[in-house]
Amino acid sequence: MKEKILQLLYDAEAYISGEEMSHTLGVSRTAIWKVINQLKSQGYEIESVTRKGYKLINAPDLLNKEELHYDLHTDFIGQEIHTYETLGSTNQEAKKLALEGLRDGTVVIANEQTAGKGRRGRSWVSPPGTGIWMTLLLRPDIQPQHASMVTLVAGLAVCEVIREVTGLEAEIKWPNDIVLNGKKICGLLTEMNSEIDYINFVVIGIGINVNVAEFPDELKGIATSLLLEGGQTYERKVLVKRILERFEKYYKLYLETEDLSHMIDAYQEHCVNIGREVRVSRKNEVLIGTVKKVSDKGELIVIDDKGDERLIHSGEVSVRGIYGYV
Amino acid sequence: MKEKILQLLYDAEAYISGEEMSHTLGVSRTAIWKVINQLKSQGYEIESVTRKGYKLINAPDLLNKEELHYDLHTDFIGQEIHTYETLGSTNQEAKKLALEGLRDGTVVIANEQTAGKGRRGRSWVSPPGTGIWMTLLLRPDIQPQHASMVTLVAGLAVCEVIREVTGLEAEIKWPNDIVLNGKKICGLLTEMNSEIDYINFVVIGIGINVNVAEFPDELKGIATSLLLEGGQTYERKVLVKRILERFEKYYKLYLETEDLSHMIDAYQEHCVNIGREVRVSRKNEVLIGTVKKVSDKGELIVIDDKGDERLIHSGEVSVRGIYGYV
């Protein structure tokens, strides 16, 4: 009901009367009036003029179902959205929901995370109201060994949308960060629950520092936000919807071939690793080399100091010039 | 304490007096007497003779900590064992314990499963007291894409131990069954919880039909037990301990190379697929061919009808002559 009234307000050219809304939705004018007041108390600026009706002047940047469903054009990604004021971590909640059987494409999003996680249990700072802290739940019918590429698919979608919405030149740091001027603006954390040859589910956590105004001292050198780089705030809800749409587009292409062949050019265009010196830490060795490209399978192809091509599937990758590797 | 008294009884050449036990363990003779009574009520046959002491005549085939730890020679597999009278499923319990942080090598074992599971959620019949329904919790520091081989490692261990303990000619049906005279005697279900390049944990469920006397009609054609094939009952506790030991031996070799190179000959020796016609069902095709061998990476190498080698990573595999594929 709130979603429908909000939609009428958004869609109205100018004023829309309480009577018209009451008629369209088949509810009393008192019911309409109650919801309008509710919206106002949530921060919506709604002008009421006698004999003309209501007009939406300004909407707050809320990440609630009503806002996120309005003007979202996807088939299944985000068609079911679970929103929370506060969560420990959106990945944790999404995994719990996945075990309860929630559908492919469900999105979990929180205004604040109190125990946000990066890779290998590292913590991720997620202050309230300033960022996008969300997780996509997916149930792809593909081989588990092809699942790691989904992180690159999500990274590409986030990078492109940040560039389009903000005009800032975001780049992808393979495999799971987005950077801006050499500092981290977004981190991705993909987790999988699988049998040998069957994926039960995948969750992709996406954390984007949108309007974070300040970072703790220990993060200042390596993390930044769209606000700090762009000098203005950005609407989180707009970014979320455009990311879900772009992700769905690339994800469908990826499921067709179970690789990145349909999007590898776009990926490489924005991949900061290409042509740069990288240092790859693995269990038993440290490899230093220059990145030639990213393969259709999502591997990093590195030329080592002997001139040999090396295929990097994973591992900790530092790029010279980024996060203090100089 | 019960474990220690049981160990003294097992280790005694003939009779051991209450006084000696009381002295060795530093507890009162009354305490000893209480435990002896407890053991008797659990089904242990213990003879007591005045002035000689106690003698263990016969021990029931119980899967409890005391029995499983006695005479178990491993470094870490099964050093922590959680035993249950009844569980929904041992994999489910092991996954829960894994999330709580339980250690590498922990074993979960139940006398009965009420909701035992096979691959892709199929049900697995696990009547009380007649089989081995257990799960190994592992935390291997290897790449997730190498983890599927651990099923083959476990299959080899189970197959060899069944052959040695019972003399029956068990064979491995790649990738996750053990068969006897063309019927299933054991199923393995491996599940993984991982990040892209990091395994949180793996659980391997092992279900062995040891002393199952009869199967439901719909399973009679495809399932059997050691009892039905061997014409006698077998001690589950002995099988469990020998399997844990053998698994640990092969698992260590597998972790060294992250492949099966150190055990592939033993594997192939018992692999029923080799040289047989197989039908492999995959998402978009059905492949019929003859199995040439199993690779060091655990893949099935199949020669198709054009004479080309095809690498099978996974999928549903039927072997001609087994489970009604004739």
Side-chain angles (χ1 to χ4, degrees):
Chain A
M1 162 79 153
K2 192 158 82 178
E3 188 172 346
K4 283 175 185 158
I5 290 179
L6 205 50
Q7 190 155 349
L8 289 176
L9 286 169
Y10 270 119
D11 290 345
E13 296 286 306
Y15 290 89
I16 179 166
S17 69
E19 196 177 334
E20 190 182 335
M21 287 199 269
S22 148
H23 186 76
T24 309
L25 302 177
V27 298
S28 73
R29 287 187 59 173
T30 314
I32 300 287
W33 178 83
K34 275 186 184 160
V35 172
I36 293 284
N37 272 316
Q38 221 179 48
L39 288 170
K40 281 181 179 170
S41 76
Q42 287 188 292
Y44 289 84
E45 262 181 73
I46 299 169
E47 201 181 54
S48 352
V49 175
T50 320
R51 271 195 287 272
K52 282 178 156 183
Y54 302 108
K55 184 181 174 185
L56 181 62
I57 307 292
N58 206 358
D61 185 19
L62 296 178
L63 299 179
N64 55 34
K65 274 195 194 66
E66 294 79 24
E67 286 292 348
L68 294 174
H69 276 149
Y70 176 75
D71 191 33
L72 172 68
H73 305 282
T74 61
D75 288 338
F76 67 104
I77 299 292
Q79 286 301 312
E80 179 161 349
I81 297 191
H82 291 238
T83 61
Y84 302 81
E85 188 48 40
T86 298
L87 276 181
S89 114
T90 55
N91 267 25
Q92 211 56 41
E93 180 70 13
K95 286 189 281 185
K96 202 188 102 201
L97 294 172
L99 292 173
E100 291 169 10
L102 258 67
R103 60 181 272 201
D104 191 22
T106 298
V107 170
V108 171
I109 191 161
N111 199 47
E112 174 187 18
Q113 289 185 116
T114 54
K117 287 276 176 287
R119 292 167 80 189
R120 305 195 179 194
R122 293 169 196 152
S123 71
W124 178 273
V125 172
S126 333
T130 60
I132 294 169
W133 326 123
M134 73 172 169
T135 296
L136 316 184
L137 163 60
L138 303 171
R139 300 183 180 278
D141 182 17
I142 60 172
Q143 288 300 312
Q145 62 266 30
H146 295 162
S148 67
M149 281 178 264
V150 81
T151 310
L152 309 193
V153 175
L156 175 58
V158 171
C159 182
E160 284 191 350
V161 169
I162 288 178
R163 294 175 81 98
E164 290 166 15
V165 171
T166 69
L168 299 168
E169 303 203 326
E171 294 177 293
I172 306 163
K173 178 176 169 289
W174 183 98
N176 56 350
D177 291 341
I178 309 294
V179 298
L180 204 44
N181 301 323
K183 293 180 178 177
K184 195 187 290 200
I185 197 112
C186 164
L188 301 159
L189 176 63
T190 301
E191 296 181 81
M192 176 166 70
N193 183 308
S194 63
E195 294 179 19
I196 292 184
D197 62 348
Y198 181 77
I199 294 176
N200 293 319
F201 61 82
V202 167
V203 295
I204 311 178
I206 302 177
I208 309 177
N209 304 325
V210 181
N211 300 320
V212 181
E214 200 181 5
F215 287 92
D217 282 344
E218 68 275 20
L219 293 179
K220 275 180 180 156
I222 59 173
T224 188
S225 70
L226 296 177
L227 167 63
L228 291 172
E229 300 298 316
Q232 62 167 99
T233 58
Y234 297 93
E235 282 203 302
R236 296 175 302 160
K237 61 187 180 189
V238 172
L239 285 162
V240 168
K241 288 185 275 190
R242 298 298 86 80
I243 286 168
L244 298 181
E245 289 163 359
R246 188 65 53 90
F247 175 75
E248 184 176 273
K249 173 190 146 187
Y250 283 129
Y251 181 63
K252 284 176 172 176
L253 292 170
Y254 155 69
L255 290 186
E256 271 180 28
T257 57
E258 297 195 20
D259 69 19
L260 306 177
S261 47
H262 288 314
M263 66 203 79
I264 195 66
D265 292 344
Y267 190 88
Q268 309 221 62
E269 196 184 322
H270 299 311
C271 180
V272 72
N273 308 63
I274 310 275
R276 304 278 277 268
E277 183 181 305
V278 292
R279 189 176 54 198
V280 185
S281 314
R282 297 202 281 189
K283 206 164 34 172
N284 304 313
E285 71 166 337
V286 172
L287 165 68
I288 293 182
T290 305
V291 177
K292 186 180 169 190
K293 58 182 243 176
V294 176
S295 77
D296 282 358
K297 301 269 179 218
E299 306 134 330
L300 206 60
I301 300 176
V302 173
I303 312 292
D304 69 14
D305 53 7
K306 295 196 188 79
D308 294 334
E309 284 199 2
R310 303 281 294 272
L311 229 51
I312 311 299
H313 295 277
S314 59
E316 301 288 342
V317 176
S318 309
V319 182
R320 187 183 279 275
I322 292 188
Y323 308 161
Y325 172 33
V326 285
Chain B
M1 161 81 152
K2 192 158 82 179
E3 189 173 344
K4 283 176 185 159
I5 290 179
L6 204 52
Q7 188 155 350
L8 288 176
L9 287 168
Y10 270 118
D11 291 343
E13 295 287 307
Y15 290 90
I16 178 165
S17 69
E19 195 178 335
E20 191 181 334
M21 287 200 269
S22 148
H23 186 75
T24 309
L25 302 177
V27 298
S28 72
R29 289 186 59 172
T30 314
I32 301 286
W33 177 84
K34 275 186 183 161
V35 172
I36 294 283
N37 272 315
Q38 219 178 49
L39 288 170
K40 283 180 177 170
S41 76
Q42 286 189 293
Y44 289 84
E45 263 181 69
I46 299 169
E47 200 180 57
S48 354
V49 174
T50 319
R51 269 194 290 273
K52 282 180 156 180
Y54 301 108
K55 185 182 173 185
L56 181 63
I57 306 292
N58 207 358
D61 184 18
L62 296 178
L63 300 180
N64 55 32
K65 276 194 193 65
E66 293 79 25
E67 285 292 350
L68 294 175
H69 276 150
Y70 177 75
D71 192 33
L72 171 68
H73 305 284
T74 61
D75 289 337
F76 66 104
I77 300 291
Q79 285 302 311
E80 180 160 348
I81 297 190
H82 292 237
T83 62
Y84 303 81
E85 187 49 37
T86 299
L87 275 181
S89 115
T90 55
N91 268 25
Q92 211 56 42
E93 180 70 12
K95 285 188 281 185
K96 203 188 102 201
L97 294 173
L99 291 175
E100 292 169 9
L102 257 67
R103 60 181 271 199
D104 191 22
T106 297
V107 171
V108 171
I109 192 161
N111 199 46
E112 176 188 16
Q113 289 186 117
T114 55
K117 287 276 176 286
R119 289 167 82 189
R120 303 195 180 196
R122 293 168 195 151
S123 71
W124 178 272
V125 172
S126 333
T130 60
I132 294 169
W133 326 122
M134 73 173 168
T135 296
L136 317 184
L137 163 60
L138 303 171
R139 299 184 180 276
D141 182 16
I142 61 172
Q143 287 301 310
Q145 62 265 31
H146 295 161
S148 67
M149 283 179 261
V150 80
T151 310
L152 309 192
V153 175
L156 174 59
V158 170
C159 182
E160 284 191 350
V161 168
I162 288 177
R163 294 176 81 99
E164 289 167 16
V165 170
T166 70
L168 298 168
E169 302 202 327
E171 293 176 294
I172 306 163
K173 178 174 169 290
W174 181 97
N176 54 350
D177 291 342
I178 309 294
V179 298
L180 206 44
N181 302 321
K183 292 179 179 178
K184 195 187 290 202
I185 197 111
C186 164
L188 302 159
L189 176 63
T190 301
E191 296 180 80
M192 176 165 71
N193 183 307
S194 63
E195 295 179 20
I196 293 184
D197 62 347
Y198 181 76
I199 295 175
N200 293 318
F201 60 82
V202 167
V203 296
I204 310 177
I206 301 177
I208 308 177
N209 304 323
V210 181
N211 300 320
V212 181
E214 201 182 3
F215 287 91
D217 282 344
E218 68 275 19
L219 293 179
K220 274 179 180 154
I222 59 172
T224 190
S225 70
L226 296 177
L227 167 62
L228 290 172
E229 300 298 316
Q232 62 166 98
T233 58
Y234 297 92
E235 283 201 300
R236 296 175 301 162
K237 61 187 179 190
V238 173
L239 285 162
V240 167
K241 288 184 275 190
R242 297 299 86 79
I243 286 169
L244 298 182
E245 289 162 359
R246 189 65 53 92
F247 175 76
E248 183 175 274
K249 173 190 147 188
Y250 283 129
Y251 181 62
K252 285 176 173 176
L253 291 171
Y254 155 69
L255 290 186
E256 271 178 28
T257 57
E258 297 195 20
D259 70 18
L260 307 175
S261 47
H262 288 314
M263 65 203 80
I264 194 66
D265 292 344
Y267 190 88
Q268 309 222 61
E269 197 184 322
H270 299 311
C271 180
V272 72
N273 309 61
I274 310 274
R276 303 279 277 269
E277 184 182 304
V278 291
R279 190 175 53 197
V280 185
S281 313
R282 297 203 279 188
K283 204 162 37 170
N284 303 314
E285 73 166 337
V286 173
L287 165 69
I288 293 183
T290 306
V291 177
K292 187 179 168 191
K293 57 182 244 178
V294 176
S295 76
D296 282 358
K297 300 271 180 215
E299 306 134 330
L300 207 60
I301 299 176
V302 173
I303 312 291
D304 69 14
D305 52 8
K306 297 195 189 80
D308 294 333
E309 285 199 0
R310 304 280 296 270
L311 228 52
I312 311 299
H313 295 277
S314 59
E316 301 288 342
V317 176
S318 308
V319 181
R320 189 182 279 274
I322 293 189
Y323 308 161
Y325 171 33
V326 285

